[in-house]
């Protein structure tokens, strides 16, 4: 019994981790990119400059590819709470289920419904209506982020009710939704999706610039990205800092794991910040470590010495503290490093823009900078995944922090069955991941169609691409074909 | 537990939520039904041009249609957490089959757009649609047949409980039903040769669905003791006598409209057939949510949770219906090559 149920818990955890890590890759881009599309389409409506319209058409091709895989991989997310975590679903369903229901009714339906118009409706609705559809898509996507982050934050800091006999009874819904982690976590994720998308768009634009392919077109997208990134990237570093601070206050065991801190740092003594460490869980110490004196104190309170102690991992019994300390420690550092790199890149590029005006041949002297942008393209994803690993692996052994243990929350299924679904998902996800890379790079290779006439006029590309939706009934609007 | 000020609502709320979930599920079966049906039909498409038309007819709607399922899952989780947990536990494998099918379908839809060699993704799209329909059919069949639970309402059966002759029959019939609504939708959306093909597939599917429905209606009371007791009591008896009769009438009207080569009416009759079967299923299950023994009152979330969700969801349902309708309106008309 013991061994069997352990296996099921481990397999269910693997399945959840894998589904979440894979699923997250796609909505991260579509959520952030939707805001970029609202901006670029708004610029088109405002300036009537056709380039912005072509940008909207080009980037939305990547959008739809990512959206499809996002929906597909989101389905197992939506169902596995019941499939693999039935005791959890029953225990917190009153609240947690309500929020997932909200996410679907308020947010996802909005996004999915208007997406049809956003992608296929260029010839069917007036430009302003199209822009409103794009705004609805962006609003829906970001509202999804809000509900998901509220639900996840509640798992980190459950408030707004009490646990009676293992079942959560809500006393105040608004307090539960606005739990202590919610605001900063949502802000952190909101900026993360936007920042990741901006640097993906920027990275792809830089790739074109490096090849000197459509340089005027892609300096345009790069400029929009730059203006947005210059605000977002430094702000994200700051919001990230606030998020780490709330971990310090609410989840000291997670903070200790993020810092690989085994011994408590008493109040009134400086806390060092470790740069590199080799955590050894068996020996409850770091076999090797490089530290910067007092930096952690400065980071947490802007003072050389803290008023309250920072608890070390040894304060908790091994069964009550997070494991995989090394993973949490390095994921955190990776995320921080990427956040700093992206902010620095935005600032450096602004100087180059100031020097060159980002026009013409002078840009070619800055190959190193374009490589820096291409390199930055995938980094946002890495930072997001690393951040979620810190957040959710660091929460262990709890599924609802301090209230419900992960091991008690898993469905009692035969391990072979979970293994079956797990291996099925691994196989599919692997294929989809590489296929998406392949087709995504093909869209990029092919490049934008800058000959596309504005909506309402005879459309050469669409004519070439075979099928048209034509009106059956006589229609006063201009004919598509 | 202290007495709640919401106590008078404790009877009413679960019924409202049962109805809302029914609505979501019905809209899902109807809308994604024709998506899945078209997916299955695409396996029989003779050439790429025809398949293109089939896919184009789905392009703007498939993800919104699929969202009704996510909505169903999320609302069931919120309103009846026990049912969500127990039913998904009992249906682990059919649910995995369905999810894998839906993933395969959604992803190949996007990949196909960009692929030079479309054959792999065509096949994946069709097979995905078929698997999703199969998983759903087994799920409906199993819920219809009943799920073994212990005193606390937790799943107490085995991992293969869902695999029976009767649930297989329901699954096959549901697949036929999806092919039928897919065909009638295509009759409405296409012209010419393609439309003629789907008059044929619709006629065949109408007959196979009809045969399946007759077999289910006959076998259900024979094999399920509890259902028999329920069915032959006076008030329900008349309803259950009326439903098959209405069903036969609708099938007749459907076949006649297909013969007369009408364009919209086959879809309307199919819609009414789906509605009728769904209402019949609802009557069989109500007031249970985990048949045969756990009622909606026992599986309910707390009244405060149900009220809280209801305030928002009741307000959102008309809005969601409105912009879904708007979407169909924007893309109305025929798909032509």
């Amino acid at each position: 019994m013991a061994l069997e149920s352990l296996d099921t818990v481990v397999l269910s955890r693997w399945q959840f981790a894998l589904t979440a890590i894979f699923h997250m890759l796609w909505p991260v881009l579509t959520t952030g990119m939707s805001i970029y599309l609202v901006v670029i389409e708004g610029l088109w409506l405002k300036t009537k400059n056709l380039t912005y319209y072509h940008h909207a058409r080009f980037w939305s091709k990547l959008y739809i590819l990512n959206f499809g895989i996002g929906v597909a991989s989101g389905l197992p997310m939506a169902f596995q709470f019941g499939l693999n975590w039935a005791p959890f679903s029953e225990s917190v369903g009153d609240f947690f289920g309500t929020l997932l229901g909200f996410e679907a009714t308020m947010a996802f339906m909005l996004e999915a419904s208007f997406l049809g118009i956003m992608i296929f409706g260029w010839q069917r609705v007036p430009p302003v209506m199209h822009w409103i559809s794009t705004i609805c898509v962006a609003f829906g996507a970001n509202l999804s982020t809000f509900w998901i982050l509220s639900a996840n934050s509640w798992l980190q800091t459950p408030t707004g009710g009490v646990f009676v006999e293992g079942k959560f009874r809500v006393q105040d819904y608004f307090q539960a939704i606005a739990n202590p982690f919610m605001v900063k976590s949502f802000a952190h994720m909101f900026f993360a999706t936007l920042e990741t998308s901006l640097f993906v768009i920027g990275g792809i634009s830089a790739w074109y610039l490096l090849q000197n392919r459509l340089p005027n077109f892609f300096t345009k997208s790069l400029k929009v990205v730059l203006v947005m990134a210059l605000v977002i990237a430094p702000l994200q570093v700051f919001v990230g800092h606030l998020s780490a601070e709330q971990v310090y206050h609410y989840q000291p065991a997670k903070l200790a794991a993020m810092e690989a801190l085994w011994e408590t740092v008493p109040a009134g003594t400086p806390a060092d910040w470790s740069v590199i460490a080799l955590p050894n869980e068996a020996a409850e110490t770091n076999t090797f470590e490089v530290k910067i004196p007092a930096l952690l104190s400065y980071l947490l309170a802007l003072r050389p010495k803290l008023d309250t102690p920072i608890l070390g991992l040894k304060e908790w019994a091994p069964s009550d503290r997070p494991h995989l300390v090394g993973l949490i420690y390095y994921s955190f550092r990776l995320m921080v490093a990427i956040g700093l790199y992206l902010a620095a890149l935005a600032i450096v590029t602004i100087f180059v823009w100031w020097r060159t005006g980002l026009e013409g041949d002078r840009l070619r002297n800055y190959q190193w900078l374009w490589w820096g942008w291409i390199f930055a393209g995938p980094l946002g994803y890495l930072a997001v995944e690393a951040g979620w690993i810190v957040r959710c692996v660091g929460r262990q052994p709890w599924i609802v922090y301090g209230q419900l243990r992960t091991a008690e929350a898993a469905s009692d299924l035969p391990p072979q069955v979970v293994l079956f679904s797990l291996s099925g998902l691994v196989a599919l996800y692997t294929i989809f991941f590489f296929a998406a890379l392949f087709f995504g790079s093909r869209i990029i290779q092919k490049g934008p169609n800058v000959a596309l006439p504005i909506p309402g006029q005879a459309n050469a590309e669409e004519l070439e691409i075979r099928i048209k939706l034509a009106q059956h009934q006589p229609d006063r609007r201009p004919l598509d074909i | 537990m202290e007495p709640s000020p919401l106590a008078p609502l404790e009877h009413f709320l679960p019924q409202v939520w049962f109805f809302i979930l029914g609505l979501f599920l019905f809209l899902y079966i109807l809308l994604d039904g024709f998506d899945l049906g078209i997916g299955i039909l695409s396996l029989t498409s003779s050439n790429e041009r025809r398949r293109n038309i089939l896919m184009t007819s789905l392009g703007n709607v498939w993800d919104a249609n699929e969202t009704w399922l996510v909505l169903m899952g999320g609302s069931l989780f919120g309103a009846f957490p026990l049912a969500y947990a127990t039913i998904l536990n009992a249906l682990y494998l059919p649910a995995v089959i369905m999810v894998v099918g839906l993933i395969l379908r959604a992803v190949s839809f996007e990949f196909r757009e960009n692929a030079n060699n479309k054959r792999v993704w065509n096949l994946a799209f069709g097979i995905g649609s078929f698997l999703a329909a199969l998983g759903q059919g087994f799920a409906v069949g199993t819920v219809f047949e009943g799920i073994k639970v212990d005193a606390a309402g937790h799943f107490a059966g085995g991992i293969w409980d869902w695999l029976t002759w009767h649930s297989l029959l329901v699954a096959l019939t549901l697949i036929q039903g999806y092919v039928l609504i897919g065909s009638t939708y295509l009759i409405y959306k296409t012209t010419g040769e393609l439309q003629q093909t789907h008059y044929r597939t619709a006629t065949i599917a109408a007959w196979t669905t009809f045969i399946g429905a007759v077999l289910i209606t006959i076998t259900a009371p024979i094999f399920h003791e509890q259902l028999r007791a329920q069915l032959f009591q006076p008030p329900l008896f008349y309803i259950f006598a009326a439903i098959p009769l209405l069903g036969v009438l609708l099938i007749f009207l459907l076949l006649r409209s297909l013969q007369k080569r009408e364009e919209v009416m086959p879809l309307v009759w199919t819609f009414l057939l789906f509605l009728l079967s769904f209402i019949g299923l609802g009557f069989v299950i109500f007031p249970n949510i985990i048949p045969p023994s756990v009622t909606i009152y026992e599986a309910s979330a707390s009244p405060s949770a149900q009220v809280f969700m209801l305030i928002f969801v009741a307000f959102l349902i008309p809005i969601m219906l409105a912009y879904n309708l708007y979407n169909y309106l924007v893309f109305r008309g025929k798909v032509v090559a």
Side-chain angles (χ1 to χ4, degrees), chain B residues 239-252:
Chain B
I239 297 172
F240 286 111
I243 285 178
L245 289 177
L246 270 173
V248 172
L249 178 70
L250 284 172
I251 286 275
F252 170 73

Side-chain angles (χ1 to χ4, degrees), chain A residues 50 63 79 84 95 111 120 142-143 146 165 187 195 211 245 248-249 287 292 317 355 375 388 407 430 437 463:
Chain A
L50 206 55
Y63 187 100
F79 285 103
N84 297 84
F95 176 70
E111 188 184 5
F120 302 101
N142 285 283
L143 199 57
F146 171 79
E165 289 165 8
E195 193 178 3
Q211 297 188 330
E245 218 176 15
Y248 166 53
H249 289 298
T287 34
I292 302 176
R355 294 270 302 275
F375 183 61
W388 276 95
T430 312
L437 280 183
L463 208 113

